[in-house]
Each structure stands twice: as structure tokens, then as C-alpha cells.
Amino acid sequence: MTDKSSIDTTQPYQLVLFRDDLRTVDHPALLAASEAGPVVALYILDEQSPGIRPLGAAARWWPHHALVSLRASLQELGIPLVLRRGNSVHIIEEITGHGACAAVHWNRRYGQAERAVDTLIKDHVRAAGLHAQSHAGALLHEPWELLTQSGTGYKVFTPFHNAPRSTGIREPHPAPQPQSPPHVELPGSRDAGQLGAAAQFARLVHRAGGCLDSGRTRRPGTPGRGARRYRAALRRAP
């Protein structure tokens, strides 16, 4: 990925944040943004925001290869992928100050530190006069949707496990339709290889006998496999 491309600061675009959801299928934020206008995708390797734990070498191996797969999938849809490293709020402030960003979309995260970061992002984006929208894209149901008849959270596993079956399970969202690539230059984009740690992880794989690189493991870029398996298990359950 090159650092420079053509720029048209008058073309409005929708900015989609990718974090742990490096896929194009069953991605509500990406689908909603694509229905609103041209899309630019952004991935930030954030090891600076308060409470965010830096990834180790093994943990970086997965997003490195998943980003390579995601970039290929997005290119087929005409969506550029911008890769940055640093504090998420500062980077989004910088990016939304260039061009004509109309809105910022992301799928919700649920860790305490991640929620705090996303709240700051939403506050900044809205203060800048832009639309900020979070989407339900990580769970089958939002935590506040699965409640007991008295309106409280579940404390016993079996009723909690049965609740999704009685409330229904949504079908996966399709990938968005291909678009004409927006002519937008955003500052400081990096190549996927600069964010990964494949070399360090290769040594770990070698010491583990190569089992982590065998065909028996999940491979990066396999969208929504875990969610599909869980949906199928719930439907088969008596």
C-alpha cells in the first residue's frame, strides 16, 4: 500500500473503523456505511490509548495476515484500506480533518478500556459536526437485550443459554456491493507488513513444531466462522 494517492477533498466519504472484525461479510458497520456513500476503511494498531494492552508477537501474527486478506477483499469492493499506528483518538482527529469525511462507523467493543476509547472517539467526531455511529457486530445479541422477565441480567447459565433461542438469531449480513474507489488521500498510511510480527512469530512456530501453521488450525481471513458455528449449534440444540 502506498503512502500517497490522488486526492479529492470535496468528495464526501464514510470512514469505517476495523479492529477485531477484519472481514467484509457480516460487518454491520461496513454495510451501513456503504449504503450511505463511498467508504474508506481504517485500521489502527493502538498500543498507546489508556488501558489498551500492547499485542505480543504471537498476537500480532494473526492481524498481520488477516489485514493482508482484508485488503484483498476490500480492493474487490473498491474500498481503500488505510493502516495507522498510534493513539486512536488522535489519529481519527487527524484523518477526519482531511478531505470531506461525512461519518465514522464502527462495530462495538465491550472491554472497559475499549469502550472508554470508543466513547472518546464518538465525542470527538460529534463535536466536529460529523455523524458517529456504532453498530452491533460482535455478538449475537447485545448484553442489554437478553434480560430476565424482571428486566435484570441472568445469573444462571441454563436460562441465559436458552434465551437466544427464544428471541431469535439474526442472519449474517452480506458483503456490501462494489463501489467506485473514492479519490481520497489520508495522511500516514502504512503497509500491512509494517504492523505485523511474522518474523518473530515464525520462531515461536518453529519451537512449537510448526503445529500452529498446520492445516488443522483456523486461518486468518476466514470471516464469521465462529459465529456461524454457534448459530448452527443453537439451531440444532433440543
Side-chain angles (χ1 to χ4, degrees):
M1 182 179 297
T2 58
D3 289 341
K4 300 293 183 180
S5 60
S6 58
I7 181 170
D8 180 357
T9 57
T10 65
Q11 182 180 19
Y13 66 91
Q14 309 284 313
L15 185 66
V16 177
L17 310 183
F18 282 81
R19 280 82 76 88
D20 300 326
D21 46 7
L22 304 181
R23 60 184 185 270
T24 57
V25 176
D26 201 20
H27 196 295
L30 178 62
L31 184 61
S34 68
E35 293 172 349
V39 174
V40 173
L42 172 64
Y43 177 86
I44 302 172
L45 178 59
D46 186 351
E47 300 174 309
Q48 298 181 11
S49 293
I52 301 297
R53 295 179 59 186
L55 298 177
R60 288 193 194 184
W61 176 87
W62 186 274
H64 164 73
H65 292 284
L67 284 167
V68 172
S69 176
L70 175 65
R71 180 171 58 178
S73 297
L74 289 173
Q75 283 179 339
E76 294 178 358
L77 300 174
I79 298 175
L81 174 61
V82 176
L83 303 176
R84 294 291 304 274
R85 183 173 189 171
N87 182 288
S88 292
V89 176
H90 297 164
I91 289 173
I92 291 171
E93 180 179 8
E94 178 187 10
I95 286 179
T96 54
H98 289 71
C101 179
V104 182
H105 300 258
W106 64 88
N107 291 330
R108 297 185 191 110
R109 301 183 292 179
Y110 301 92
Q112 183 176 1
E114 289 80 3
R115 289 175 60 190
V117 171
D118 290 351
T119 297
L120 290 175
I121 291 172
K122 182 177 291 187
D123 291 344
H124 159 72
V125 171
R126 289 180 174 174
L130 306 176
H131 180 65
Q133 183 63 55
S134 63
H135 301 264
L139 305 176
L140 296 179
H141 294 279
E142 295 297 273
W144 50 87
E145 294 176 347
L146 292 181
L147 301 174
T148 65
Q149 293 182 352
S150 61
T152 61
Y154 285 93
K155 297 181 180 180
V156 180
F157 175 75
T158 299
F160 171 77
H161 174 71
N162 292 334
R165 296 167 54 199
S166 61
T167 56
I169 303 172
R170 68 169 178 82
E171 293 298 322
H173 295 287
Q177 294 296 315
Q179 66 174 35
S180 298
H183 299 293
V184 177
E185 178 189 285
L186 298 178
S189 179
R190 293 173 178 266
D191 186 86
Q194 294 177 269
L195 300 181
Q200 297 94 319
F201 191 75
R203 291 193 290 270
L204 298 177
V205 172
H206 177 73
R207 288 199 294 268
C211 61
L212 295 176
D213 198 32
S214 70
R216 297 188 300 273
T217 59
R218 280 190 61 193
R219 299 221 178 246
T222 323
R225 179 181 293 175
R228 289 198 298 270
R229 286 176 176 169
Y230 185 50
R231 288 188 183 96
L234 285 175
R235 293 190 177 108
R236 290 196 301 267

